[in-house]
Amino acid sequence: MAKLRVAIHKLTSCSGCQLAILNQGAQLLDLLEDIDIVHFIEGGLYEPDASVDLALIEGSVTTPEDLQRLQHARSNSKLLVSIGACATSGGVQALRNMQDERAWKQAIYAKPEFIDTLANSTPIKAHAKVDFELWGCPITIEQLNNLIRQLRFGTLPIDNKEKLCMECKRRQQVCVMVTRQAPCLGPVTRTACGALCPAFGRACYGCFGPSEQPNGKSLGKRFAGLGLMPAQIAQRFASIHSQSPDFNEQYHHWQALDPKLSEEDKQ
Amino acid sequence: MTQHFLPKQQLQLLIDCLRAEGYGVIGPKVKDDAIVFEELADATELPYGIEEDSAPGRYQLKKARHKRAFAFNTGPQGLKPFLFAPEQELWRAEHTDDGLIFRQSFPAIRPLAFIGLRACDLAALALQDKHFAEGPYPDPSYQAKRQQLFIVAVNCSRSASTCFCVSTGDGPSAESGFDLCLDELDRGYLINVGSDKGQRIADKLGLEAASGAKRAVATRQHQRAVQQQERQMPDEKTLMTLVDKLDDQRWQDIAERCLACGNCTSVCPTCFCSKQESHSDIKGQASSQVRLWDSCFSEQHSYIVGKVIRNEISQRYRQWVLHKLANWQLQYGRSGCVGCGRCIAWCPVAIDLVEEARALCLGDKP
Ligand code: SF4
Ligand code: SF4
Ligand code: SF4
Ligand code: SF4
């Protein structure tokens, strides 16, 4: 069977998801029996316009150039898969969508006129057809390898939207929400990390985005009952996947209840 | 039944005897702010002077004034994860020079003795036995683990606020299903023998007969534990009326709170649902079929021929309650709830099964 030709494109992102390829260790040699990587700047391969079977897109669209490169990648590739929080929902940098972007630019950069950005940071699916999404901040090696393996078998992976709590319990972690009143997003977050944070006694931050049937409304109320202020609850839902509709709704709901906001801000 | 007495400092002797008989000894320990069951190196690792404060959505350990080892009631686990593993390989398929080969997988099994299980845990074990060991399709690894199990139960001397085993008829004292059963007193343990295996261990301990005074203390402890229970699950006949309440508005009310997270079914010592996944190696040369704990609160649990049958949280909660409290009676001859209260304490949003069952069956206004 011919190898899969793969291009790995990076738009606006921290490059952390691409490490799922580089951090494989010796296993990378096995993976390379299945795929030919033709474009991968982080790995020193530069051929952005090559035709490929699979384009993996890391990063969100935040500049006119991002948009152009995404469109090229889409037309040069049979399958397109977005990898990581930035590509799937806009990422941490999408927090700016909810702020006055111009004011921030002026406050931070000496010459803001050199910064050429679009109004919002948006996910890949807002601009191009996406065949599959790998959620996570960052994605795991297992997610990536499973994608490649399933493609080699001639199918796409199962889109596992199960809640993190199920994996947390399978690993027999003690629930930090129940013992420590920690504001854990596990009950509304997709599985994939193996319940990493609860294993270290920490509440889940929601790196893998919303699960199936995420009852954010009830969870937010529970956080309030545990003593969090509305602004803290809003931040909890906003941090990594602020633009995913389920978390975004909770962000706006709790932000509007923040007593520190003036009446004018609330509008 | 004759009761014997084991002085407090000789508990180690019991552990040593079990080990000499070839058992790995599992007992309660404090870990990550909860009581969990793990291999015990010696008796000093037991949670002396620890009790739990539990309430809907809350579980906290606290120091008590006494120095008893078994003053807690439950932790999140019970026996379930040891007999019905959360994740277990069932079989493997491999490409070999001789073609594709299928092989059944069997976990390594060694004799285990559990110290500190409660009456509700034993009632749950009897139900899991019915499902995994005595049904038409027994699970061979469960059966093998079950056969070599040694159980040292402990009668509860107090009840946590989430306990309601009296109303389900399963506790707070164990009447059968153990090899040995302890009543913990300040200076030692009353011991009841429940099996020949148990007698063999008891013989090695050189026990004295328990005095009437000590037995009277144990009886008073039992009565106190009974009186402390505030929650009452409706009786089984009343619970059967749930099947006529499929359209009750209350399912919608619950669904506004319920996260469909599956924590309740995971901690429930009687829930047994699982799903299977096949995990392939990176080269596609070997594949492992794995059984994982599942829950009726998960989407894929009701995924049948391309469609999710129970998409709404209200339907999923209804499935859990209807199966557990009503339809188990048709399936296994009794309700699936043994009154341990775990699902109440470990529900992240404090949903109280007893309160909901009473509201649905009896019209109680919570
Ligand atoms: S710690 Fe978080 S992820 Fe784990 S069971 Fe509790 S709420 Fe769910
Ligand atoms: S339904 Fe709840 S109280 Fe009843 S056995 Fe299960 S976890 Fe325990
Ligand atoms: S209540 Fe739900 S998880 Fe438990 S055994 Fe029944 S269907 Fe399975
Ligand atoms: S009842 Fe509680 S523990 Fe059970 S699924 Fe709903 S929120 Fe989770």
Side-chain angles (χ1 to χ4, degrees):
Chain A
M1 206 198 291
K3 292 186 185 184
L4 272 187
R5 280 169 62 82
V6 180
I8 299 151
H9 296 275
K10 171 194 156 66
L11 307 180
T12 298
S13 60
C14 76
S15 303
C17 288
Q18 298 175 64
L19 294 178
I21 297 149
L22 294 176
N23 283 353
Q24 302 249 0
Q27 228 182 204
L28 183 57
L29 298 175
D30 291 331
L31 196 63
L32 289 175
E33 286 181 20
D34 276 327
I35 62 173
D36 248 335
I37 304 181
V38 292
H39 171 71
F40 182 27
I41 300 179
E42 186 129 322
L45 300 168
Y46 186 75
E47 207 185 316
D49 293 321
S51 294
V52 292
D53 300 308
L54 170 67
L56 298 172
I57 313 286
E58 180 199 82
S60 67
V61 175
T62 70
T63 66
E65 200 210 347
D66 282 341
L67 187 54
Q68 225 174 28
R69 289 201 291 131
L70 171 61
Q71 280 156 354
H72 280 156
R74 178 69 266 193
S75 54
N76 287 334
S77 140
K78 287 187 201 143
L79 282 176
L80 183 142
V81 173
S82 49
I83 60 170
C86 306
T88 49
S89 82
V92 177
Q93 60 271 30
L95 285 168
R96 75 175 168 84
N97 300 8
M98 304 180 296
Q99 299 294 331
D100 180 353
E101 181 224 355
R102 226 166 37 112
W104 278 86
K105 252 196 242 174
Q106 309 233 312
I108 293 168
Y109 297 102
K111 296 214 181 283
E113 61 275 19
F114 286 118
I115 312 285
D116 182 16
T117 53
L118 298 169
N120 286 323
S121 165
T122 43
I124 303 309
K125 62 178 161 232
H127 310 280
K129 176 170 174 276
V130 173
D131 297 297
F132 198 75
E133 294 180 313
L134 297 184
W135 291 76
C137 186
I139 61 161
T140 67
I141 291 175
E142 292 72 29
Q143 279 173 295
L144 181 75
N145 292 359
N146 186 42
L147 169 75
I148 306 274
R149 181 88 304 277
Q150 298 305 318
L151 289 177
R152 296 296 278 172
F153 283 146
T155 182
L156 283 168
I158 289 172
D159 190 21
N160 190 354
K161 294 177 271 181
E162 184 182 83
K163 288 158 189 186
L164 181 64
C165 293
M166 286 302 296
E167 186 58 15
C168 192
K169 277 287 179 285
R170 285 190 202 112
R171 293 188 182 227
Q172 299 290 295
Q173 304 300 352
V174 173
C175 177
V176 296
M177 185 124 94
V178 167
T179 56
R180 299 186 180 176
Q181 287 74 54
C184 187
L185 284 174
V188 295
T189 298
R190 265 175 190 255
T191 193
C193 65
L196 190 60
C197 288
F200 288 94
R202 302 298 302 252
C204 165
Y205 296 95
C207 302
F208 287 74
S211 62
E212 51 103 3
Q213 282 286 16
N215 191 347
K217 200 168 165 192
S218 169
L219 189 63
K221 277 193 199 154
R222 183 64 176 161
F223 289 171
L226 299 178
L228 264 68
M229 299 305 289
Q232 292 174 305
I233 301 172
Q235 282 163 15
R236 209 70 218 155
F237 280 100
S239 59
I240 298 169
H241 289 279
S242 64
Q243 302 308 302
S244 69
D246 296 300
F247 288 3
N248 193 265
E249 186 188 336
Q250 292 314 313
Y251 166 80
H252 284 292
H253 172 77
W254 292 99
Q255 193 63 22
L257 294 174
D258 180 11
K260 285 202 295 293
L261 283 182
S262 68
E263 283 312 307
E264 203 178 312
D265 285 343
K266 281 188 189 175
Q267 283 158 19
Chain B
M1 207 178 335
T2 358
Q3 282 190 315
H4 308 281
F5 183 72
L6 180 76
K8 188 173 179 162
Q9 51 293 357
Q10 287 197 37
L11 191 60
Q12 182 62 42
L13 188 60
L14 171 61
I15 295 177
D16 293 342
C17 285
L18 288 166
R19 217 170 267 139
E21 287 275 308
Y23 290 104
V25 180
I26 311 279
K29 282 186 193 177
V30 174
K31 194 180 149 198
D32 297 337
D33 310 322
I35 299 287
V36 299
F37 278 87
E38 276 190 352
E39 182 118 22
L40 285 181
D42 61 67
T44 59
E45 291 183 328
L46 291 165
Y48 288 100
I50 300 288
E51 290 177 3
E52 85 264 34
D53 246 341
S54 65
R58 211 165 60 84
Y59 179 98
Q60 235 112 45
L61 296 181
K62 62 174 184 199
K63 281 218 163 64
R65 259 170 296 168
H66 57 72
K67 286 270 175 289
R68 292 182 176 203
F70 302 101
F72 70 92
N73 290 89
T74 64
Q77 293 169 308
L79 248 184
K80 181 166 94 169
F82 293 91
L83 295 182
F84 168 36
E87 182 170 345
Q88 183 183 333
E89 187 180 83
L90 300 178
W91 50 265
R92 289 176 68 76
E94 263 164 69
H95 282 296
T96 67
D97 293 342
D98 304 326
L100 191 60
I101 291 197
F102 291 86
R103 198 156 47 71
Q104 186 179 358
S105 315
F106 211 74
I109 288 171
R110 65 188 182 124
L112 291 179
F114 280 78
I115 299 188
L117 295 176
R118 305 310 165 108
C120 59
D121 293 319
L122 301 187
L125 176 63
L127 273 168
Q128 293 249 300
D129 285 350
K130 277 197 179 157
H131 180 74
F132 286 110
E134 295 159 12
Y137 305 103
D139 170 349
S141 67
Y142 180 98
Q143 281 178 320
K145 289 185 203 169
R146 179 68 180 97
Q147 254 162 23
Q148 49 70 50
L149 201 62
F150 190 100
I151 293 173
V152 183
V154 174
N155 290 327
C156 289
S157 59
R158 58 181 280 278
S159 291
S161 92
T162 42
C163 297
F164 56 96
C165 60
V166 175
S167 64
T168 62
D170 296 303
S173 296
E175 271 149 30
S176 61
F178 51 79
D179 297 297
L180 294 174
C181 179
L182 312 181
D183 281 284
E184 184 175 36
L185 310 179
D186 281 335
R187 302 229 171 96
Y189 306 88
L190 296 192
I191 297 193
N192 264 329
V193 176
S195 70
D196 295 343
K197 272 196 291 187
Q199 189 63 54
R200 232 186 6 260
I201 297 288
D203 289 344
K204 293 191 178 172
L205 295 171
L207 298 166
E208 50 185 279
S211 69
K214 289 195 179 85
R215 291 158 67 165
V217 176
T219 306
R220 280 203 299 280
Q221 288 183 172
H222 166 86
Q223 285 161 349
R224 178 180 64 183
V226 170
Q227 279 154 13
Q228 280 173 336
Q229 295 195 7
E230 293 155 8
R231 280 184 176 70
Q232 260 193 313
M233 182 60 93
D235 62 37
E236 288 182 335
K237 196 158 154 263
T238 311
L239 290 174
M240 271 323 282
T241 64
L242 284 165
V243 299
D244 302 324
K245 302 191 192 301
L246 298 185
D247 299 320
D248 202 291
Q249 171 57 31
R250 183 115 200 131
W251 304 117
Q252 304 298 332
D253 300 345
I254 299 168
E256 286 184 12
R257 289 170 279 144
C258 177
L259 304 167
C261 63
N263 271 303
C264 47
T265 58
S266 296
V267 295
C268 180
T270 68
C271 273
F272 47 64
C273 281
S274 62
K275 64 174 176 179
Q276 290 184 24
E277 287 178 359
S278 82
H279 297 167
S280 175
D281 75 341
I282 189 165
K283 294 181 170 179
Q285 290 305 301
S287 161
S288 140
Q289 187 75 5
V290 180
R291 181 178 73 180
L292 299 143
W293 279 5
D294 197 6
S295 164
C296 47
F297 284 96
S298 297
E299 182 176 76
Q300 78 278 345
H301 189 272
S302 71
Y303 178 86
I304 304 170
V305 281
K307 189 172 159 38
V308 176
I309 308 293
R310 291 187 291 270
N311 216 357
E312 302 302 321
I313 295 179
S314 58
Q315 298 165 328
R316 299 188 197 171
Y317 192 90
R318 192 180 68 187
Q319 162 65 23
W320 138 256
V321 166
L322 273 173
H323 188 213
K324 178 108 325 192
L325 301 179
N327 292 328
W328 274 63
Q329 296 187 43
L330 309 177
Q331 210 178 349
Y332 301 105
R334 60 156 295 177
S335 145
C337 176
V338 297
C340 73
R342 286 187 178 91
C343 58
I344 301 175
W346 297 96
C347 170
V349 287
I351 294 174
D352 180 337
L353 176 72
V354 177
E355 190 176 292
E356 301 306 340
R358 292 186 69 96
L360 282 154
C361 294
L362 305 170
D364 280 13
K365 297 249 165 6

